[in-house]
Amino acid sequence: MKTTIYDVAKQAGVSIATVSKVISGKGKISKKRREQILKIMEELNYQPSMIASALVGKKTYTIGLLIPDISNPFFAEIARAIEDQAHQSGYSIIICSTDNKDERVERYISLLEQKSVDGIIIGTGVENIEILRRLETRSIPFVMISRESTALAVDTVVSDDYIGGILAAQHLAELGHRRFAILSENLKVSSSRERIRGFKQGLSDMNIPFDDKNIVICDYRVEEGRRCAYELLQYTEKPTAIFCCNDLLAIGAIQAAKQLGIKVPDALSIVGFDDTILASVTDPPLTTIAQPIDRMGKQAFNLLIDNLMNSESVKQRIVLRPELIIRQSTQHAKR
Amino acid sequence: MKTTIYDVAKQAGVSIATVSKVISGKGKISKKRREQILKIMEELNYQPSMIASALVGKKTYTIGLLIPDISNPFFAEIARAIEDQAHQSGYSIIICSTDNKDERVERYISLLEQKSVDGIIIGTGVENIEILRRLETRSIPFVMISRESTALAVDTVVSDDYIGGILAAQHLAELGHRRFAILSENLKVSSSRERIRGFKQGLSDMNIPFDDKNIVICDYRVEEGRRCAYELLQYTEKPTAIFCCNDLLAIGAIQAAKQLGIKVPDALSIVGFDDTILASVTDPPLTTIAQPIDRMGKQAFNLLIDNLMNSESVKQRIVLRPELIIRQSTQHAKR
DNA sequence: TTGAAAGCGCTAACAA
DNA sequence: TTGTTAGCGCTTTCAA
């Protein structure tokens, strides 16, 4: 059997209360006792059961991470950043890939609740706000990362999508482009909306017209991006530049262009968003708007911990500035 | 407070045992009672506490996944495959990125033990076998994926690295290459050793000589691959083809070649291993040995579950055949 | 400085 | 078919 607190208490000839005290470091224990008990715990290879400890009202030191898909490099990088920060404080992360499906979100949340996680970091779209409200009702602390919900008072860390959009527009406009298209994932995702809003604002700041019919919506997978871009690029009024709301879509766009024999960046400039590892290895390497993924992850975890400690803290929304990374998928517009 | 089994029992005017029975579906309960109780659980939004249930000897429905780095697309894809399979059976996955450091492995394992996970899937290198033996001692079920240890009787799923190596060698040799180099991560990783062994075997099958001094060892990151390949490519006896033990290193090699003005595949062919999403987006797209990642993940989870159910099962080693995916980073050797 | 005992929410005999 | 009760391993008063 697994060794329990009773085993070490018996070995040491003390009560379990005493052992418990040396484990937690609380309460006064004579130095001699403490060392003796520590030694015995060592010998018996004693590992206190978090399960039991959690049952008596302590924390589980486990948090849930809801994201669309862990195999999407952007979220994998987010996960790593969070994991590292969490690990330092002894927390573990349960990954939950939702595919952006509300039903999966609900299923996972209920699972996490049953497992009494200390909190949840949400980085996935949730259409039905009620799902999140339920978290509030049950007072399960949660924060949002890379997604947000204005309807909720919740700690949030995002990158400034609006500015990101502007950055992309400026870059492209400065290169002389005038005919644009936008490839975006589901508009229900507020960050996509903001990126588009920023992009359009950037254009309008420079008095460049843009027609919303040049916005194409698709799923967030490479394959989807390729398919949508493929259609897009068959218009008679072909764009000379495409702004893609994430790197995956941008890669799809590059592939579509290749398929159609359209040279990137010679005949078509493409800008992505995120700057995951993918952006640096595409053909051509992708000009993209870089999110400070590492910082975002760490801040999100810290916000969550603040919440656990002090549930009455004033909610904050941390907005990190993205940055334009120029690689080789953009170039001067031909005339 | 959170609603407990007592709350629903009181509401229903029955004992907690009865409620417990309808939750687990065991025991005979009259249909009427059952429905009444179900309704009340619904109303009260009752979620049974897995913590409490785990404490009385049931499972936690949580498993640990040890991998080098979740932000490495190969492992992220493995994780997703496992997660999907696990989720179907109500299991959650705790991710543990070890960076291949034994100390991190130990730390994580002890954390997982404290959390009473039902089992562990190990996909990371572990130098000190004792660490794994300790898992056996404590009868924590575990299986290995994409790594193995001949010293241990443990269920394992790997792709056939040896065959993968042969496939790469054959492909390159058929293209007329004769001067090779190998870029590998740490040789302590058995899969790298096997890939190299297969590659050398493939060459020797075709009577092509290969000198071990052309094997370069480096860390598993792109940057490391770039650095090592950079040095490698400065030999007077430059290779015309490089076999890289994973896609990340292959990407590094491509970058190094670019830096040195060596055209891929014109002047240098490169073969990777894994076939993650990265391989399809590099410049040029990477010829690589594809591992059946999805199948591997699912099989690994299934093996683990078998272990939980029936700890006396005969250990098995499942070897999945990899496949050569020809893209554009390889071509006929110039003469 | 130490220990006895209650109780966290649940399961599983065993009784009724 | 339903209920009583004894734990699971731990933390935490409260007493000693």
Side-chain angles (χ1 to χ4, degrees), chain B residues 16-144:
Chain B
I16 58 166
T18 307
V19 178
S20 176
K21 276 168 199 151
V22 348
I23 293 172
S24 64
K26 293 178 195 164
K28 308 255 153 281
I29 304 287
S30 69
K31 186 160 181 190
K32 193 171 145 211
R33 270 254 184 291
R34 144 166 291 110
E35 276 165 5
Q36 173 208 12
I37 292 177
L38 249 16
K39 184 154 143 283
I40 292 180
M41 296 197 323
E42 180 81 1
E43 284 170 14
L44 264 44
N45 255 315
Y46 169 68
Q47 302 275 14
S49 158
M50 280 207 178
I51 297 287
S53 149
L55 188 58
V56 286
K58 311 299 285 186
K59 295 191 290 187
T60 53
Y61 287 93
T62 305
I63 69 178
L65 173 61
L66 262 61
I67 48 178
D69 183 2
I70 189 67
S71 73
N72 173 331
F74 175 68
F75 294 106
E77 290 173 28
I78 290 261
R80 179 54 141 110
I82 295 176
E83 186 202 338
D84 279 350
Q85 189 73 6
H87 190 223
Q88 284 187 24
S89 329
Y91 280 83
S92 305
I93 307 291
I94 291 183
I95 45 166
C96 311
S97 296
T98 64
D99 287 332
N100 280 321
K101 303 242 177 63
D102 270 15
E103 78 205 54
R104 281 179 67 106
V105 173
E106 289 200 68
R107 171 95 198 281
Y108 267 122
I109 286 183
S110 125
L111 226 51
L112 292 174
E113 189 179 355
Q114 289 176 212
K115 293 188 176 165
S116 309
V117 293
D118 296 331
I120 301 182
I121 296 180
I122 297 186
T124 188
V126 181
E127 289 194 29
N128 182 359
I129 286 284
E130 291 311 317
I131 296 177
L132 298 184
R133 270 200 223 292
R134 222 167 298 150
L135 285 180
E136 291 183 328
T137 314
R138 315 207 168 182
S139 52
I140 300 178
F142 71 101
V143 302
M144 304 198 63

Side-chain angles (χ1 to χ4, degrees), chain A residues 107-217:
Chain A
R107 170 94 199 280
Y108 266 121
I109 286 183
S110 124
L111 226 50
L112 292 173
E113 187 179 358
Q114 288 177 210
K115 294 191 174 160
S116 309
V117 294
D118 296 332
I120 301 181
I121 296 180
I122 296 184
T124 189
V126 182
E127 288 193 31
N128 180 359
I129 286 284
E130 290 311 317
I131 297 177
L132 299 183
R133 270 200 223 293
R134 222 166 299 151
L135 286 180
E136 290 182 327
T137 313
R138 316 209 167 176
S139 53
I140 299 177
F142 70 102
V143 303
M144 304 198 64
I145 183 169
S146 176
R147 301 285 149 135
E148 51 190 325
S149 166
T150 42
L152 251 39
V154 51
D155 282 320
T156 306
V157 28
V158 288
S159 59
D160 198 321
D161 296 305
Y162 180 71
I163 300 243
I166 293 184
L167 254 27
Q170 278 177 350
H171 173 61
L172 255 14
E174 278 163 10
L175 288 174
H177 291 278
R178 290 301 175 266
R179 285 203 316 280
F180 303 95
I182 297 178
L183 212 54
S184 167
E185 63 180 306
N186 197 323
L187 282 192
K188 284 169 192 146
V189 178
S190 58
S191 50
S192 297
R193 275 202 313 270
E194 282 303 287
R195 288 169 197 183
I196 293 176
R197 193 169 69 85
F199 189 79
K200 296 198 322 197
Q201 182 63 47
L203 293 185
S204 113
D205 286 350
M206 306 182 80
N207 295 313
I208 301 174
F210 178 83
D211 187 331
D212 278 358
K213 79 175 198 306
N214 294 310
I215 300 178
V216 177
I217 307 300

